[in-house]
Amino acid sequence: MTIPTVSLDSPREDVAKALRDACARGDFFYLEGHGVPESLLDKVLEQSKKLFDLPTNEKESIFDPILQRGYTRFESETLDPKNQSRGDTKEGFYIGEEAPQEETDAAKLHGPNVWPQTAGCALSQDQCNEFRETLEQYRAEARRAALKLVRCFALAIGQSDPFLLDKYFTQSRSFIRLLHYSAEPSDEKNGLFACGAHSDYGMLTLLLTDENPGLQVKRDDGTWIDIPPKRGSFVVNVGDMFERWTNGLFRSTVHRVITPQGAGDRYSVPFFFDPNFDALVECLESCCSDKNPPKYPPITAGQHLLNMYGKTYADFDNTEEGKK
């Protein structure tokens, strides 16, 4: 199977058609022409490796369980509990939207990030600064590309105005997640996966990955196909939230990561782009009719994400008691 490629620097109408063709089939696609410098992509992966090379106790100190920021340990995430005998053989580091301490709203996962500090880890002050500056620059660039993509999606769902969805993204939410997969081989028969089978919770994911393989997508017939890495390109997929919004027109596809025998460590960086926390996700007018009524009840974007976090993360506690 050929993985579709979409060039974001093509005419908007051409991009919209390519998006509709790919996402209606549930395809992942490569995104080129996104404008994020390749040198920055390389630097993000380099900074990720430096972070994960720190001793475990130092990484574990960079963690906020209430705002779901910072380090997540190996096997803390089980994305396919019915088929997994252990948690995912990966560790992660979450970086959300930056906000001042005084604006913290735990109920909305809104507040400051946790960053490596010289007092708690072996990195120098210059290295800590470089890590933060790189990731903040990357967020700005990835967000710009994602919003441009959203405007093409507006046309792809049959709207004449590419800015139709902009009102839902005035205070958009984005999460960067640095991921490090260990070299431990996956064993499907015994329920061991680098990343268990799942669909993404949110609206849109732009994935940066190194040169190592492992990502697989499930087809309608139950078979799995590889999505090879492609230097300089993002691997893009729509998530559950956008499937709800489009009434199933665009499909959120199940995927997983398998570490092959003899493979090395793998690094990837998904950028999750979502609408305002309070945005109401209900069927868009162009995606339903008398013959095709809404399939999903309305829900706010934020509540949808909170519901899914609670089902997935062993360390996640967004209850009133957990916020204390």
Side-chain angles (χ1 to χ4, degrees), residues 23-26 153 157 199-204 237-254 281-284 287 294-296 304:
C23 297
R25 295 192 302 263
F153 270 119
I157 60 175
S199 58
D200 287 350
Y201 313 146
M203 177 171 174
L204 191 62
N237 63 286
V238 302
D240 301 343
M241 191 185 300
F242 207 25
E243 179 168 324
R244 294 179 72 113
W245 232 344
T246 63
N247 208 32
L249 172 64
F250 294 156
R251 295 165 52 197
S252 178
T253 302
V254 173
V281 178
E282 59 182 344
C283 182
L284 294 164
C287 298
K295 299 179 176 71
Y296 309 95
H304 169 76

PDB file of all heavy atoms in Angstrom, residues 23-26 153 157 199-204 237-254 281-284 287 294-296 304:
ATOM      1  N   CYS A  23      -8.392  11.047   4.428  1.00  0.00           N
ATOM      2  CA  CYS A  23      -9.006  10.895   5.756  1.00  0.00           C
ATOM      3  C   CYS A  23     -10.337  10.186   5.712  1.00  0.00           C
ATOM      4  O   CYS A  23     -10.751   9.576   6.706  1.00  0.00           O
ATOM      5  CB  CYS A  23      -9.127  12.252   6.428  1.00  0.00           C
ATOM      6  SG  CYS A  23      -7.521  13.029   6.728  1.00  0.00           S
ATOM      7  N   ALA A  24     -11.033  10.251   4.592  1.00  0.00           N
ATOM      8  CA  ALA A  24     -12.271   9.489   4.460  1.00  0.00           C
ATOM      9  C   ALA A  24     -11.986   7.989   4.425  1.00  0.00           C
ATOM     10  O   ALA A  24     -12.845   7.175   4.793  1.00  0.00           O
ATOM     11  CB  ALA A  24     -13.027   9.914   3.198  1.00  0.00           C
ATOM     12  N   ARG A  25     -10.771   7.620   4.015  1.00  0.00           N
ATOM     13  CA  ARG A  25     -10.364   6.210   4.015  1.00  0.00           C
ATOM     14  C   ARG A  25      -9.720   5.809   5.336  1.00  0.00           C
ATOM     15  O   ARG A  25      -9.397   4.639   5.543  1.00  0.00           O
ATOM     16  CB  ARG A  25      -9.362   5.953   2.890  1.00  0.00           C
ATOM     17  CG  ARG A  25      -9.891   6.121   1.480  1.00  0.00           C
ATOM     18  CD  ARG A  25      -8.902   5.560   0.474  1.00  0.00           C
ATOM     19  NE  ARG A  25      -7.594   6.197   0.586  1.00  0.00           N
ATOM     20  CZ  ARG A  25      -7.176   7.205  -0.175  1.00  0.00           C
ATOM     21  NH1 ARG A  25      -7.984   7.709  -1.097  1.00  0.00           N
ATOM     22  NH2 ARG A  25      -5.967   7.712  -0.028  1.00  0.00           N
ATOM     23  N   GLY A  26      -9.477   6.784   6.197  1.00  0.00           N
ATOM     24  CA  GLY A  26      -8.788   6.479   7.447  1.00  0.00           C
ATOM     25  C   GLY A  26      -7.296   6.351   7.292  1.00  0.00           C
ATOM     26  O   GLY A  26      -6.613   5.746   8.131  1.00  0.00           O
ATOM     27  N   PHE A 153      -8.671  21.658   6.061  1.00  0.00           N
ATOM     28  CA  PHE A 153      -9.699  20.700   6.472  1.00  0.00           C
ATOM     29  C   PHE A 153     -11.089  21.324   6.400  1.00  0.00           C
ATOM     30  O   PHE A 153     -12.075  20.634   6.104  1.00  0.00           O
ATOM     31  CB  PHE A 153      -9.434  20.195   7.888  1.00  0.00           C
ATOM     32  CG  PHE A 153      -8.570  18.975   7.951  1.00  0.00           C
ATOM     33  CD1 PHE A 153      -7.351  18.989   8.615  1.00  0.00           C
ATOM     34  CD2 PHE A 153      -8.983  17.781   7.363  1.00  0.00           C
ATOM     35  CE1 PHE A 153      -6.556  17.847   8.678  1.00  0.00           C
ATOM     36  CE2 PHE A 153      -8.194  16.642   7.417  1.00  0.00           C
ATOM     37  CZ  PHE A 153      -6.973  16.670   8.084  1.00  0.00           C
ATOM     38  N   ILE A 157     -14.250  19.442   4.369  1.00  0.00           N
ATOM     39  CA  ILE A 157     -15.548  18.961   4.863  1.00  0.00           C
ATOM     40  C   ILE A 157     -16.716  19.645   4.164  1.00  0.00           C
ATOM     41  O   ILE A 157     -17.875  19.483   4.563  1.00  0.00           O
ATOM     42  CB  ILE A 157     -15.688  19.142   6.385  1.00  0.00           C
ATOM     43  CG1 ILE A 157     -15.555  20.621   6.770  1.00  0.00           C
ATOM     44  CG2 ILE A 157     -14.670  18.279   7.114  1.00  0.00           C
ATOM     45  CD1 ILE A 157     -15.790  20.884   8.240  1.00  0.00           C
ATOM     46  N   SER A 199      -6.401   4.529  19.051  1.00  0.00           N
ATOM     47  CA  SER A 199      -6.605   5.684  18.186  1.00  0.00           C
ATOM     48  C   SER A 199      -6.309   6.927  19.019  1.00  0.00           C
ATOM     49  O   SER A 199      -6.441   6.906  20.242  1.00  0.00           O
ATOM     50  CB  SER A 199      -8.030   5.729  17.628  1.00  0.00           C
ATOM     51  OG  SER A 199      -8.978   5.751  18.689  1.00  0.00           O
ATOM     52  N   ASP A 200      -5.889   8.000  18.383  1.00  0.00           N
ATOM     53  CA  ASP A 200      -5.563   9.221  19.119  1.00  0.00           C
ATOM     54  C   ASP A 200      -6.839   9.901  19.600  1.00  0.00           C
ATOM     55  O   ASP A 200      -7.858   9.899  18.914  1.00  0.00           O
ATOM     56  CB  ASP A 200      -4.752  10.174  18.240  1.00  0.00           C
ATOM     57  CG  ASP A 200      -3.325   9.699  18.037  1.00  0.00           C
ATOM     58  OD1 ASP A 200      -2.909   8.741  18.721  1.00  0.00           O
ATOM     59  OD2 ASP A 200      -2.617  10.288  17.199  1.00  0.00           O
ATOM     60  N   TYR A 201      -6.772  10.516  20.775  1.00  0.00           N
ATOM     61  CA  TYR A 201      -7.968  11.079  21.405  1.00  0.00           C
ATOM     62  C   TYR A 201      -8.427  12.383  20.765  1.00  0.00           C
ATOM     63  O   TYR A 201      -9.617  12.660  20.708  1.00  0.00           O
ATOM     64  CB  TYR A 201      -7.702  11.390  22.889  1.00  0.00           C
ATOM     65  CG  TYR A 201      -7.022  10.319  23.666  1.00  0.00           C
ATOM     66  CD1 TYR A 201      -6.125  10.643  24.684  1.00  0.00           C
ATOM     67  CD2 TYR A 201      -7.271   8.969  23.423  1.00  0.00           C
ATOM     68  CE1 TYR A 201      -5.498   9.670  25.433  1.00  0.00           C
ATOM     69  CE2 TYR A 201      -6.636   7.990  24.160  1.00  0.00           C
ATOM     70  CZ  TYR A 201      -5.749   8.346  25.167  1.00  0.00           C
ATOM     71  OH  TYR A 201      -5.129   7.373  25.894  1.00  0.00           O
ATOM     72  N   GLY A 202      -7.473  13.196  20.353  1.00  0.00           N
ATOM     73  CA  GLY A 202      -7.772  14.570  20.005  1.00  0.00           C
ATOM     74  C   GLY A 202      -8.179  14.776  18.560  1.00  0.00           C
ATOM     75  O   GLY A 202      -8.750  13.896  17.908  1.00  0.00           O
ATOM     76  N   MET A 203      -7.859  15.971  18.057  1.00  0.00           N
ATOM     77  CA  MET A 203      -8.276  16.321  16.702  1.00  0.00           C
ATOM     78  C   MET A 203      -7.253  15.926  15.656  1.00  0.00           C
ATOM     79  O   MET A 203      -7.573  15.302  14.655  1.00  0.00           O
ATOM     80  CB  MET A 203      -8.546  17.819  16.625  1.00  0.00           C
ATOM     81  CG  MET A 203      -8.919  18.259  15.219  1.00  0.00           C
ATOM     82  SD  MET A 203      -9.490  19.930  15.121  1.00  0.00           S
ATOM     83  CE  MET A 203      -9.626  20.109  13.336  1.00  0.00           C
ATOM     84  N   LEU A 204      -6.003  16.313  15.888  1.00  0.00           N
ATOM     85  CA  LEU A 204      -5.003  16.205  14.838  1.00  0.00           C
ATOM     86  C   LEU A 204      -3.647  15.909  15.460  1.00  0.00           C
ATOM     87  O   LEU A 204      -3.293  16.489  16.482  1.00  0.00           O
ATOM     88  CB  LEU A 204      -4.956  17.547  14.082  1.00  0.00           C
ATOM     89  CG  LEU A 204      -4.199  17.668  12.787  1.00  0.00           C
ATOM     90  CD1 LEU A 204      -4.797  16.743  11.734  1.00  0.00           C
ATOM     91  CD2 LEU A 204      -4.263  19.126  12.305  1.00  0.00           C
ATOM     92  N   ASN A 237      -2.273  12.150  11.236  1.00  0.00           N
ATOM     93  CA  ASN A 237      -3.543  11.430  11.316  1.00  0.00           C
ATOM     94  C   ASN A 237      -4.557  12.270  12.078  1.00  0.00           C
ATOM     95  O   ASN A 237      -4.197  13.126  12.881  1.00  0.00           O
ATOM     96  CB  ASN A 237      -3.372  10.068  11.994  1.00  0.00           C
ATOM     97  CG  ASN A 237      -2.922  10.176  13.435  1.00  0.00           C
ATOM     98  OD1 ASN A 237      -1.766  10.484  13.709  1.00  0.00           O
ATOM     99  ND2 ASN A 237      -3.822   9.911  14.365  1.00  0.00           N
ATOM    100  N   VAL A 238      -5.822  12.045  11.786  1.00  0.00           N
ATOM    101  CA  VAL A 238      -6.886  12.686  12.555  1.00  0.00           C
ATOM    102  C   VAL A 238      -7.263  11.767  13.711  1.00  0.00           C
ATOM    103  O   VAL A 238      -7.107  10.548  13.634  1.00  0.00           O
ATOM    104  CB  VAL A 238      -8.125  13.012  11.696  1.00  0.00           C
ATOM    105  CG1 VAL A 238      -7.744  13.922  10.546  1.00  0.00           C
ATOM    106  CG2 VAL A 238      -8.777  11.742  11.158  1.00  0.00           C
ATOM    107  N   GLY A 239      -7.743  12.377  14.802  1.00  0.00           N
ATOM    108  CA  GLY A 239      -8.084  11.620  15.994  1.00  0.00           C
ATOM    109  C   GLY A 239      -9.582  11.503  16.220  1.00  0.00           C
ATOM    110  O   GLY A 239     -10.405  11.941  15.416  1.00  0.00           O
ATOM    111  N   ASP A 240      -9.931  10.909  17.356  1.00  0.00           N
ATOM    112  CA  ASP A 240     -11.326  10.630  17.689  1.00  0.00           C
ATOM    113  C   ASP A 240     -12.179  11.898  17.707  1.00  0.00           C
ATOM    114  O   ASP A 240     -13.352  11.877  17.322  1.00  0.00           O
ATOM    115  CB  ASP A 240     -11.418   9.969  19.071  1.00  0.00           C
ATOM    116  CG  ASP A 240     -10.635   8.674  19.160  1.00  0.00           C
ATOM    117  OD1 ASP A 240     -10.280   8.111  18.101  1.00  0.00           O
ATOM    118  OD2 ASP A 240     -10.363   8.223  20.292  1.00  0.00           O
ATOM    119  N   MET A 241     -11.607  12.991  18.176  1.00  0.00           N
ATOM    120  CA  MET A 241     -12.372  14.225  18.287  1.00  0.00           C
ATOM    121  C   MET A 241     -12.836  14.718  16.916  1.00  0.00           C
ATOM    122  O   MET A 241     -13.974  15.160  16.745  1.00  0.00           O
ATOM    123  CB  MET A 241     -11.552  15.295  18.987  1.00  0.00           C
ATOM    124  CG  MET A 241     -12.363  16.521  19.387  1.00  0.00           C
ATOM    125  SD  MET A 241     -11.340  17.827  20.098  1.00  0.00           S
ATOM    126  CE  MET A 241     -10.638  17.012  21.524  1.00  0.00           C
ATOM    127  N   PHE A 242     -11.956  14.617  15.944  1.00  0.00           N
ATOM    128  CA  PHE A 242     -12.331  15.085  14.601  1.00  0.00           C
ATOM    129  C   PHE A 242     -13.303  14.115  13.941  1.00  0.00           C
ATOM    130  O   PHE A 242     -14.157  14.530  13.151  1.00  0.00           O
ATOM    131  CB  PHE A 242     -11.087  15.287  13.743  1.00  0.00           C
ATOM    132  CG  PHE A 242     -11.257  16.312  12.659  1.00  0.00           C
ATOM    133  CD1 PHE A 242     -12.184  17.338  12.771  1.00  0.00           C
ATOM    134  CD2 PHE A 242     -10.470  16.285  11.513  1.00  0.00           C
ATOM    135  CE1 PHE A 242     -12.334  18.299  11.781  1.00  0.00           C
ATOM    136  CE2 PHE A 242     -10.604  17.229  10.513  1.00  0.00           C
ATOM    137  CZ  PHE A 242     -11.540  18.245  10.647  1.00  0.00           C
ATOM    138  N   GLU A 243     -13.200  12.840  14.272  1.00  0.00           N
ATOM    139  CA  GLU A 243     -14.187  11.888  13.761  1.00  0.00           C
ATOM    140  C   GLU A 243     -15.576  12.247  14.292  1.00  0.00           C
ATOM    141  O   GLU A 243     -16.570  12.201  13.544  1.00  0.00           O
ATOM    142  CB  GLU A 243     -13.823  10.454  14.156  1.00  0.00           C
ATOM    143  CG  GLU A 243     -14.840   9.434  13.663  1.00  0.00           C
ATOM    144  CD  GLU A 243     -14.375   8.000  13.784  1.00  0.00           C
ATOM    145  OE1 GLU A 243     -13.168   7.733  13.592  1.00  0.00           O
ATOM    146  OE2 GLU A 243     -15.230   7.142  14.067  1.00  0.00           O
ATOM    147  N   ARG A 244     -15.660  12.597  15.569  1.00  0.00           N
ATOM    148  CA  ARG A 244     -16.943  13.028  16.139  1.00  0.00           C
ATOM    149  C   ARG A 244     -17.457  14.281  15.437  1.00  0.00           C
ATOM    150  O   ARG A 244     -18.629  14.392  15.090  1.00  0.00           O
ATOM    151  CB  ARG A 244     -16.789  13.330  17.635  1.00  0.00           C
ATOM    152  CG  ARG A 244     -16.475  12.152  18.511  1.00  0.00           C
ATOM    153  CD  ARG A 244     -16.314  12.585  19.963  1.00  0.00           C
ATOM    154  NE  ARG A 244     -17.591  12.940  20.552  1.00  0.00           N
ATOM    155  CZ  ARG A 244     -18.190  12.272  21.534  1.00  0.00           C
ATOM    156  NH1 ARG A 244     -17.615  11.187  22.034  1.00  0.00           N
ATOM    157  NH2 ARG A 244     -19.342  12.668  22.007  1.00  0.00           N
ATOM    158  N   TRP A 245     -16.560  15.235  15.254  1.00  0.00           N
ATOM    159  CA  TRP A 245     -16.937  16.515  14.668  1.00  0.00           C
ATOM    160  C   TRP A 245     -17.463  16.340  13.246  1.00  0.00           C
ATOM    161  O   TRP A 245     -18.383  17.041  12.823  1.00  0.00           O
ATOM    162  CB  TRP A 245     -15.722  17.431  14.657  1.00  0.00           C
ATOM    163  CG  TRP A 245     -15.968  18.775  15.263  1.00  0.00           C
ATOM    164  CD1 TRP A 245     -17.171  19.355  15.535  1.00  0.00           C
ATOM    165  CD2 TRP A 245     -14.968  19.706  15.666  1.00  0.00           C
ATOM    166  NE1 TRP A 245     -16.980  20.597  16.089  1.00  0.00           N
ATOM    167  CE2 TRP A 245     -15.644  20.835  16.188  1.00  0.00           C
ATOM    168  CE3 TRP A 245     -13.580  19.705  15.650  1.00  0.00           C
ATOM    169  CZ2 TRP A 245     -14.971  21.957  16.671  1.00  0.00           C
ATOM    170  CZ3 TRP A 245     -12.914  20.814  16.151  1.00  0.00           C
ATOM    171  CH2 TRP A 245     -13.600  21.935  16.651  1.00  0.00           C
ATOM    172  N   THR A 246     -16.862  15.425  12.492  1.00  0.00           N
ATOM    173  CA  THR A 246     -17.260  15.223  11.092  1.00  0.00           C
ATOM    174  C   THR A 246     -18.286  14.106  10.931  1.00  0.00           C
ATOM    175  O   THR A 246     -18.583  13.694   9.812  1.00  0.00           O
ATOM    176  CB  THR A 246     -16.035  14.908  10.213  1.00  0.00           C
ATOM    177  OG1 THR A 246     -15.444  13.674  10.647  1.00  0.00           O
ATOM    178  CG2 THR A 246     -15.001  16.025  10.285  1.00  0.00           C
ATOM    179  N   ASN A 247     -18.806  13.624  12.070  1.00  0.00           N
ATOM    180  CA  ASN A 247     -19.840  12.587  12.030  1.00  0.00           C
ATOM    181  C   ASN A 247     -19.367  11.318  11.336  1.00  0.00           C
ATOM    182  O   ASN A 247     -20.132  10.614  10.676  1.00  0.00           O
ATOM    183  CB  ASN A 247     -21.098  13.121  11.326  1.00  0.00           C
ATOM    184  CG  ASN A 247     -22.371  12.448  11.807  1.00  0.00           C
ATOM    185  OD1 ASN A 247     -22.476  12.048  12.972  1.00  0.00           O
ATOM    186  ND2 ASN A 247     -23.352  12.313  10.925  1.00  0.00           N
ATOM    187  N   GLY A 248     -18.086  11.038  11.477  1.00  0.00           N
ATOM    188  CA  GLY A 248     -17.531   9.826  10.895  1.00  0.00           C
ATOM    189  C   GLY A 248     -17.050   9.977   9.466  1.00  0.00           C
ATOM    190  O   GLY A 248     -16.559   9.002   8.878  1.00  0.00           O
ATOM    191  N   LEU A 249     -17.164  11.184   8.895  1.00  0.00           N
ATOM    192  CA  LEU A 249     -16.665  11.392   7.532  1.00  0.00           C
ATOM    193  C   LEU A 249     -15.160  11.144   7.483  1.00  0.00           C
ATOM    194  O   LEU A 249     -14.657  10.445   6.597  1.00  0.00           O
ATOM    195  CB  LEU A 249     -16.970  12.821   7.073  1.00  0.00           C
ATOM    196  CG  LEU A 249     -16.329  13.242   5.740  1.00  0.00           C
ATOM    197  CD1 LEU A 249     -16.874  12.394   4.593  1.00  0.00           C
ATOM    198  CD2 LEU A 249     -16.566  14.731   5.480  1.00  0.00           C
ATOM    199  N   PHE A 250     -14.439  11.723   8.442  1.00  0.00           N
ATOM    200  CA  PHE A 250     -13.012  11.464   8.567  1.00  0.00           C
ATOM    201  C   PHE A 250     -12.805  10.481   9.706  1.00  0.00           C
ATOM    202  O   PHE A 250     -13.347  10.656  10.794  1.00  0.00           O
ATOM    203  CB  PHE A 250     -12.241  12.751   8.839  1.00  0.00           C
ATOM    204  CG  PHE A 250     -12.274  13.724   7.705  1.00  0.00           C
ATOM    205  CD1 PHE A 250     -12.078  15.074   7.925  1.00  0.00           C
ATOM    206  CD2 PHE A 250     -12.511  13.302   6.407  1.00  0.00           C
ATOM    207  CE1 PHE A 250     -12.102  15.981   6.881  1.00  0.00           C
ATOM    208  CE2 PHE A 250     -12.545  14.190   5.349  1.00  0.00           C
ATOM    209  CZ  PHE A 250     -12.349  15.537   5.581  1.00  0.00           C
ATOM    210  N   ARG A 251     -11.991   9.471   9.453  1.00  0.00           N
ATOM    211  CA  ARG A 251     -11.887   8.354  10.378  1.00  0.00           C
ATOM    212  C   ARG A 251     -10.603   8.390  11.196  1.00  0.00           C
ATOM    213  O   ARG A 251      -9.525   8.626  10.668  1.00  0.00           O
ATOM    214  CB  ARG A 251     -11.975   7.048   9.586  1.00  0.00           C
ATOM    215  CG  ARG A 251     -13.327   6.835   8.911  1.00  0.00           C
ATOM    216  CD  ARG A 251     -13.269   5.750   7.859  1.00  0.00           C
ATOM    217  NE  ARG A 251     -12.684   4.538   8.390  1.00  0.00           N
ATOM    218  CZ  ARG A 251     -12.215   3.560   7.628  1.00  0.00           C
ATOM    219  NH1 ARG A 251     -12.240   3.650   6.319  1.00  0.00           N
ATOM    220  NH2 ARG A 251     -11.707   2.476   8.185  1.00  0.00           N
ATOM    221  N   SER A 252     -10.775   8.150  12.485  1.00  0.00           N
ATOM    222  CA  SER A 252      -9.648   8.024  13.398  1.00  0.00           C
ATOM    223  C   SER A 252      -9.199   6.571  13.393  1.00  0.00           C
ATOM    224  O   SER A 252      -9.974   5.679  13.756  1.00  0.00           O
ATOM    225  CB  SER A 252     -10.074   8.450  14.802  1.00  0.00           C
ATOM    226  OG  SER A 252      -9.040   8.293  15.722  1.00  0.00           O
ATOM    227  N   THR A 253      -7.975   6.344  12.980  1.00  0.00           N
ATOM    228  CA  THR A 253      -7.518   4.983  12.696  1.00  0.00           C
ATOM    229  C   THR A 253      -6.657   4.410  13.814  1.00  0.00           C
ATOM    230  O   THR A 253      -5.805   5.099  14.372  1.00  0.00           O
ATOM    231  CB  THR A 253      -6.731   4.974  11.364  1.00  0.00           C
ATOM    232  OG1 THR A 253      -7.580   5.482  10.328  1.00  0.00           O
ATOM    233  CG2 THR A 253      -6.288   3.575  10.993  1.00  0.00           C
ATOM    234  N   VAL A 254      -6.879   3.153  14.116  1.00  0.00           N
ATOM    235  CA  VAL A 254      -6.100   2.456  15.141  1.00  0.00           C
ATOM    236  C   VAL A 254      -4.677   2.229  14.640  1.00  0.00           C
ATOM    237  O   VAL A 254      -4.453   1.844  13.488  1.00  0.00           O
ATOM    238  CB  VAL A 254      -6.771   1.110  15.494  1.00  0.00           C
ATOM    239  CG1 VAL A 254      -5.883   0.287  16.439  1.00  0.00           C
ATOM    240  CG2 VAL A 254      -8.134   1.360  16.141  1.00  0.00           C
ATOM    241  N   VAL A 281     -17.797  20.184  20.814  1.00  0.00           N
ATOM    242  CA  VAL A 281     -17.594  19.282  19.682  1.00  0.00           C
ATOM    243  C   VAL A 281     -18.918  18.583  19.389  1.00  0.00           C
ATOM    244  O   VAL A 281     -19.339  17.672  20.097  1.00  0.00           O
ATOM    245  CB  VAL A 281     -16.494  18.244  19.997  1.00  0.00           C
ATOM    246  CG1 VAL A 281     -16.313  17.282  18.826  1.00  0.00           C
ATOM    247  CG2 VAL A 281     -15.176  18.939  20.315  1.00  0.00           C
ATOM    248  N   GLU A 282     -19.591  19.057  18.371  1.00  0.00           N
ATOM    249  CA  GLU A 282     -20.831  18.448  17.914  1.00  0.00           C
ATOM    250  C   GLU A 282     -20.808  18.428  16.399  1.00  0.00           C
ATOM    251  O   GLU A 282     -20.042  19.160  15.763  1.00  0.00           O
ATOM    252  CB  GLU A 282     -22.046  19.224  18.429  1.00  0.00           C
ATOM    253  CG  GLU A 282     -22.101  20.665  18.021  1.00  0.00           C
ATOM    254  CD  GLU A 282     -23.313  21.380  18.598  1.00  0.00           C
ATOM    255  OE1 GLU A 282     -24.246  20.687  19.046  1.00  0.00           O
ATOM    256  OE2 GLU A 282     -23.313  22.626  18.606  1.00  0.00           O
ATOM    257  N   CYS A 283     -21.639  17.606  15.821  1.00  0.00           N
ATOM    258  CA  CYS A 283     -21.597  17.391  14.384  1.00  0.00           C
ATOM    259  C   CYS A 283     -21.674  18.703  13.611  1.00  0.00           C
ATOM    260  O   CYS A 283     -22.567  19.520  13.830  1.00  0.00           O
ATOM    261  CB  CYS A 283     -22.751  16.472  13.975  1.00  0.00           C
ATOM    262  SG  CYS A 283     -22.762  16.092  12.214  1.00  0.00           S
ATOM    263  N   LEU A 284     -20.717  18.915  12.737  1.00  0.00           N
ATOM    264  CA  LEU A 284     -20.717  20.094  11.886  1.00  0.00           C
ATOM    265  C   LEU A 284     -21.849  19.997  10.866  1.00  0.00           C
ATOM    266  O   LEU A 284     -22.173  18.911  10.374  1.00  0.00           O
ATOM    267  CB  LEU A 284     -19.372  20.223  11.173  1.00  0.00           C
ATOM    268  CG  LEU A 284     -18.180  20.496  12.096  1.00  0.00           C
ATOM    269  CD1 LEU A 284     -16.863  20.222  11.377  1.00  0.00           C
ATOM    270  CD2 LEU A 284     -18.224  21.922  12.619  1.00  0.00           C
ATOM    271  N   CYS A 287     -21.745  18.010   7.739  1.00  0.00           N
ATOM    272  CA  CYS A 287     -21.441  16.578   7.872  1.00  0.00           C
ATOM    273  C   CYS A 287     -22.653  15.745   8.310  1.00  0.00           C
ATOM    274  O   CYS A 287     -22.505  14.556   8.616  1.00  0.00           O
ATOM    275  CB  CYS A 287     -20.297  16.376   8.862  1.00  0.00           C
ATOM    276  SG  CYS A 287     -18.747  17.149   8.368  1.00  0.00           S
ATOM    277  N   PRO A 294     -26.644  13.078  13.318  1.00  0.00           N
ATOM    278  CA  PRO A 294     -25.450  12.997  14.173  1.00  0.00           C
ATOM    279  C   PRO A 294     -25.327  11.656  14.882  1.00  0.00           C
ATOM    280  O   PRO A 294     -26.303  11.146  15.441  1.00  0.00           O
ATOM    281  CB  PRO A 294     -25.672  14.135  15.170  1.00  0.00           C
ATOM    282  CG  PRO A 294     -26.529  15.113  14.443  1.00  0.00           C
ATOM    283  CD  PRO A 294     -27.453  14.271  13.606  1.00  0.00           C
ATOM    284  N   LYS A 295     -24.130  11.094  14.863  1.00  0.00           N
ATOM    285  CA  LYS A 295     -23.893   9.780  15.468  1.00  0.00           C
ATOM    286  C   LYS A 295     -23.370   9.885  16.903  1.00  0.00           C
ATOM    287  O   LYS A 295     -23.379   8.895  17.633  1.00  0.00           O
ATOM    288  CB  LYS A 295     -22.858   9.001  14.640  1.00  0.00           C
ATOM    289  CG  LYS A 295     -23.257   8.722  13.198  1.00  0.00           C
ATOM    290  CD  LYS A 295     -22.137   7.966  12.475  1.00  0.00           C
ATOM    291  CE  LYS A 295     -22.528   7.580  11.064  1.00  0.00           C
ATOM    292  NZ  LYS A 295     -22.595   8.766  10.172  1.00  0.00           N
ATOM    293  N   TYR A 296     -22.892  11.054  17.291  1.00  0.00           N
ATOM    294  CA  TYR A 296     -22.241  11.218  18.589  1.00  0.00           C
ATOM    295  C   TYR A 296     -22.892  12.367  19.363  1.00  0.00           C
ATOM    296  O   TYR A 296     -23.225  13.396  18.784  1.00  0.00           O
ATOM    297  CB  TYR A 296     -20.745  11.531  18.410  1.00  0.00           C
ATOM    298  CG  TYR A 296     -20.012  10.572  17.504  1.00  0.00           C
ATOM    299  CD1 TYR A 296     -19.835  10.855  16.146  1.00  0.00           C
ATOM    300  CD2 TYR A 296     -19.484   9.387  18.008  1.00  0.00           C
ATOM    301  CE1 TYR A 296     -19.154   9.989  15.315  1.00  0.00           C
ATOM    302  CE2 TYR A 296     -18.801   8.514  17.185  1.00  0.00           C
ATOM    303  CZ  TYR A 296     -18.640   8.809  15.836  1.00  0.00           C
ATOM    304  OH  TYR A 296     -17.961   7.943  15.013  1.00  0.00           O
ATOM    305  N   HIS A 304     -13.732  15.682  26.791  1.00  0.00           N
ATOM    306  CA  HIS A 304     -13.389  14.488  26.004  1.00  0.00           C
ATOM    307  C   HIS A 304     -11.962  14.034  26.314  1.00  0.00           C
ATOM    308  O   HIS A 304     -11.716  12.847  26.560  1.00  0.00           O
ATOM    309  CB  HIS A 304     -13.539  14.791  24.518  1.00  0.00           C
ATOM    310  CG  HIS A 304     -12.980  13.745  23.615  1.00  0.00           C
ATOM    311  ND1 HIS A 304     -13.610  12.541  23.383  1.00  0.00           N
ATOM    312  CD2 HIS A 304     -11.820  13.699  22.893  1.00  0.00           C
ATOM    313  CE1 HIS A 304     -12.880  11.812  22.557  1.00  0.00           C
ATOM    314  NE2 HIS A 304     -11.787  12.494  22.247  1.00  0.00           N
TER     315      HIS A 304
END
